[in-house]
Amino acid sequence: MTIINIDNALLIVTAIAAIWTVMGRSLLKATIGLAVTSAAISVIIFRLESPLAAVFELSVCAGLITAVFVSAISLTKPLTHKEILYASKDRMKRYIYLPVILLVLGAALAFVKIWPGLVIAAPAAASQPEARSLLWDFRRLDILGQVIILLAGAFGIVLLFGEKKNK
Amino acid sequence: MIAFLILLLLICGAYCIVVTRSMIRAIIGIELLIKAVTLLIIAAGNMTGRTATAQSLAITIIIIEVVVAATAAGIALWVFKRTGTLDVRNLRNLKG
């Protein structure tokens, strides 16, 4: 049995990307870390036999949300050199506990041996409709709710991002 | 393994929200939390053999996630225009 199989590699990539997202100094690098986390999670979701959700995760979370964050960051003002020096001293104190907590968690999980493989053999499923037919035939109200939420979100973004014209 | 990954994402997201002073980074923490929940639902669907239901729920979560992210980024920009900074401590001075 090889130790570095695709599941372990995915775990390592996702863990490093998530920690980098939280601990990275630059907001832009944190956004890129979030996109890498999303991409790795979409591969995991695909491995868990959910290709439709994996495609959504990859296109929306790794793509669209990254674009939204990058545009939001580009509209803000960068920190001055003095502010960066002050923030880097301060942030080290605040973020140093995260790796410690994660190491303790990993050690605890290794101790109780909760390390099954990523893909767990599913029980024999009863005849279940496909995800597409489930969405369109049985969960129409959800689709309607999603459309309303999307429209409300778009309306809110236009109000918040849009600048007032000078009269 | 999947349990460790979900816990890691939950801890990273919660820690990010608690510790950070930047509004954008707080939204990134919320995103990590939502990703952990999405992964949990997909893993639960895989374990129980109900992947179609899990997928439909995950798609709903992803759509709501993008709306939350975009609206929160808009609010952060609005605060930046008003106060000139993304520091969440400035929000303590709000009325109400």
Side-chain angles (χ1 to χ4, degrees):
Chain A
M1 193 182 94
T2 54
I3 294 170
I4 300 295
N5 56 14
I6 189 165
D7 295 343
N8 289 337
L10 279 172
L11 171 70
I12 292 165
V13 168
T14 314
I16 290 172
I19 293 167
W20 190 42
T21 303
V22 176
M23 295 190 72
R25 193 180 296 170
S26 156
L27 276 177
L28 207 56
K29 285 178 184 169
T31 307
I32 292 165
L34 187 69
V36 173
T37 312
S38 283
I41 287 173
S42 68
V43 178
I44 292 171
I45 291 174
F46 187 79
R47 297 261 303 153
L48 290 168
E49 297 169 9
S50 304
L52 204 62
V55 168
F56 263 81
E57 175 76 24
L58 188 63
S59 58
V60 175
C61 297
L64 184 61
I65 290 180
T66 308
V68 167
F69 278 133
V70 169
S71 57
I73 291 165
S74 68
L75 289 171
T76 58
K77 187 179 66 180
L79 294 175
T80 61
H81 184 66
K82 198 176 174 183
E83 285 170 334
I84 289 171
L85 281 176
Y86 176 73
S88 62
K89 280 182 189 171
D90 189 36
R91 64 177 285 110
M92 198 62 193
K93 288 180 197 166
R94 289 184 281 134
Y95 284 92
I96 196 70
Y97 299 107
L98 181 63
V100 178
I101 292 169
L102 292 177
L103 280 175
V104 170
L105 171 77
L109 285 179
F111 184 70
V112 295
K113 293 180 181 172
I114 305 179
W115 290 96
L118 177 66
V119 181
I120 296 166
S127 58
Q128 208 192 358
E130 260 190 64
R132 289 177 188 83
S133 65
L134 193 81
L135 269 173
W136 291 110
D137 298 338
F138 297 100
R139 304 187 71 89
R140 284 181 196 154
L141 206 61
D142 276 11
I143 300 279
L144 185 66
Q146 286 171 30
V147 171
I148 290 169
I149 288 169
L150 271 175
L151 288 175
F155 186 65
I157 291 160
V158 168
L159 278 180
L160 289 166
F161 273 86
E163 292 184 6
K164 287 179 184 174
K165 289 178 184 173
N166 292 324
K167 288 181 181 176
Chain B
M1 190 190 113
I2 196 84
F4 176 74
L5 198 57
I6 291 165
L7 272 174
L8 185 140
L9 288 171
L10 277 174
I11 290 171
C12 282
Y15 194 88
C16 189
I17 292 169
V18 169
V19 167
T20 189
R21 287 170 188 165
S22 162
M23 288 185 77
I24 301 271
R25 210 179 280 274
I27 303 165
I28 287 173
I30 294 169
E31 290 292 312
L32 283 175
L33 283 177
I34 296 174
K35 281 182 204 318
V37 174
T38 310
L39 203 54
L40 181 63
I41 286 172
I42 292 288
N46 182 254
M47 284 173 194
T48 55
R50 296 184 179 186
T51 49
T53 312
Q55 280 192 85
S56 65
L57 286 173
I59 289 166
T60 307
I61 290 174
I62 288 167
I63 288 171
I64 292 171
E65 180 183 352
V66 71
V67 173
V68 165
T71 312
I75 291 170
L77 276 179
W78 182 79
V79 170
F80 178 77
K81 278 179 194 167
R82 301 270 297 201
T83 63
T85 174
L86 286 170
D87 200 325
V88 286
R89 287 173 293 182
N90 289 319
L91 297 179
R92 289 178 191 158
N93 300 326
L94 291 175
K95 286 181 183 175

